[in-house]
Amino acid sequence: MHAFALQLKRWPSRQPILFLVVAAAIWFALYQALIPASEALVAALPVERDSHLGGALQFFLYDTPKVLLLLTGIVFVMGIVHTFVSPERTRALLSGRRRGVGNVMAASLGIVTPFCSCSAVPLFIGFLQAGVPLGVTFSFLISAPMVNEIALAMLFGLFGWKIAALYLLMGLAVAIVSGIVIGELHMEHHLEDWVRAMQNSQVPSAAVEGTMSWGERIENGFHHVREIVAKVWIYIVLGVALGAGIHGYVPEDFMASIMGKNAPWWSLPAAVLIGVPMYTNAAGVIPIVQALLAKGAALGTVLAFMMSVIALSAPEMIILRKVLKPRLIATFVGVVAAGILLVGYVFNVLI
């Protein structure tokens, strides 16, 4: 038994391509079995399937493993992709870039780099050290948590390519324009003194990518799964539970009246204000988004809520206070919030 377990552990490094094919087939089979399994579990419980409780339980039993499967698969694949995109290479690509082109590059790199809003802050300092302009650095700081690959892949898996593509375009627009605005304001003197002293102190060097075997890249994928899924699974369970409650018990008329397309003008700013104190990641908030949309909430209002949760969280502001003075933090929040509101209103008008 021990020898078999050892052979199984060594399999990915010995036959990486075969391992990836078999793993993908198992993942797909599990995903296809989720609906009948969730329906069978609800049928085995002493509740009516068509009742509020039955609907909420089916949503929870189906969406929890579905979101976890999507997250695990996406994180594993991106863990492999990240072996080709290191922080050193990201810094080297952005250092010395001018406003405009640099903002577009920084926001685009934010999509494929594995940094949440909190872990992006140390990189923020590293970018300034490497001579990356402040506005360009902010474009990366906004894009990395908000338009990351996990959010996009999950939006694609749950809502289709149109909503995923719209979110990508709008998120990039917010990150690029916000970075350009902050850059034009020339607020470098609102960095904390110790951060200003570190600006341009690191000579950019070409990124050196080590040669990794596919076995090592697969191991890196597993490392990402252990590191990220272990941190966020509880947010997913709580987010799906809240989504299940909305799905099963909140009347559609009520949700449409406060978050629908014909809701009062203040509903969208209120959704953004509600989202700011919350702290979760895309995987945790998307099940809530799914339930809100199913209940008649307007797409623009819901996406604005999602963006504010991910890009303007209170913990991120606390961490940023270590490197930014209050006026620059207030400017950052104001510019990004204005961009999110604009995106929300545009979505509500067009869709």
Side-chain angles (χ1 to χ4, degrees):
M1 187 66 185
H2 177 71
F4 176 74
L6 194 60
Q7 290 292 325
L8 194 62
K9 187 176 180 180
R10 291 175 177 171
W11 182 32
S13 59
R14 290 180 173 175
Q15 296 175 302
I17 303 303
L18 178 61
F19 170 79
L20 289 175
V21 171
V22 173
I26 293 173
W27 185 95
F28 185 75
L30 288 172
Y31 195 84
Q32 292 298 311
L34 290 177
I35 290 181
S38 63
E39 293 290 354
L41 284 171
V42 174
L45 296 172
V47 296
E48 291 291 332
R49 173 63 181 85
D50 296 331
S51 65
H52 292 305
L53 181 58
L57 284 172
Q58 196 280 333
F59 184 97
F60 183 78
L61 293 172
Y62 172 57
D63 267 54
T64 302
K66 181 178 73 173
V67 174
L68 286 171
L69 264 178
L70 281 170
L71 181 69
T72 301
I74 294 162
V75 167
F76 177 75
V77 171
M78 294 313 300
I80 294 175
V81 171
H82 292 157
T83 60
F84 298 95
V85 187
S86 68
E88 291 75 17
R89 169 168 282 186
T90 305
R91 279 199 295 267
L93 284 171
L94 293 179
S95 61
R97 298 291 177 183
R98 293 186 177 180
R99 202 169 300 150
V101 175
N103 293 97
V104 174
M105 286 187 64
S108 302
L109 282 169
I111 300 172
V112 296
T113 43
F115 313 118
C116 67
S117 57
C118 293
S119 63
V121 173
L123 273 173
F124 178 88
I125 299 171
F127 287 174
L128 292 176
Q129 273 186 290
V132 180
L134 184 63
V136 175
T137 305
F138 264 106
S139 285
F140 179 84
L141 185 69
I142 296 165
S143 170
M146 188 167 69
V147 201
N148 64 60
E149 76 281 2
I150 294 174
L152 293 174
M154 292 189 69
L155 284 172
F156 176 79
L158 295 174
F159 303 116
W161 69 270
K162 289 183 179 178
I163 289 182
L166 284 172
Y167 183 82
L168 168 65
L169 293 175
M170 293 297 103
L172 282 177
V174 169
I176 293 168
V177 174
S178 298
I180 290 174
V181 170
I182 292 173
E184 289 291 336
L185 292 175
H186 301 291
M187 300 188 72
E188 284 78 3
H189 56 289
H190 289 289
L191 294 168
E192 286 294 336
D193 294 341
W194 67 274
V195 179
R196 291 185 65 191
M198 295 169 68
Q199 264 192 296
N200 302 313
S201 60
Q202 184 182 76
V203 178
S205 60
V208 179
E209 302 296 322
T211 302
M212 296 181 72
S213 68
W214 270 99
E216 291 171 319
R217 296 188 195 281
I218 290 172
E219 177 52 37
N220 195 64
F222 280 127
H223 174 74
H224 269 65
V225 170
R226 288 192 296 269
E227 187 178 65
I228 295 176
V229 178
K231 285 181 182 176
V232 306
W233 71 268
I234 187 64
Y235 293 100
I236 292 172
V237 173
L238 293 175
V240 175
L242 181 56
I246 294 171
H247 178 82
Y249 288 94
V250 177
E252 291 186 15
D253 292 345
F254 172 75
M255 190 55 67
S257 68
I258 61 171
M259 293 185 76
K261 290 191 70 171
N262 297 319
W265 67 268
W266 49 261
S267 67
L268 205 154
V272 174
L273 285 175
I274 291 170
V276 171
M278 299 175 67
Y279 177 59
T280 183
N281 45 44
V285 76
I286 284 177
I288 301 173
V289 167
Q290 185 183 16
L292 290 173
L293 287 175
K295 288 295 181 181
L299 180 61
T301 305
V302 173
L303 287 184
F305 167 75
M306 177 178 166
M307 286 178 164
S308 67
V309 170
I310 300 173
L312 291 176
S313 68
E316 182 187 11
M317 300 305 117
I318 294 170
I319 295 174
L320 280 176
R321 180 64 189 90
K322 296 288 185 183
V323 295
L324 309 179
K325 293 180 180 177
R327 183 172 294 184
L328 185 48
I329 293 178
T331 303
F332 164 66
V333 172
V335 170
V336 175
I340 291 173
L341 286 173
L342 182 61
V343 168
Y345 282 121
V346 168
F347 265 86
N348 284 346
V349 169
L350 296 180
I351 298 178

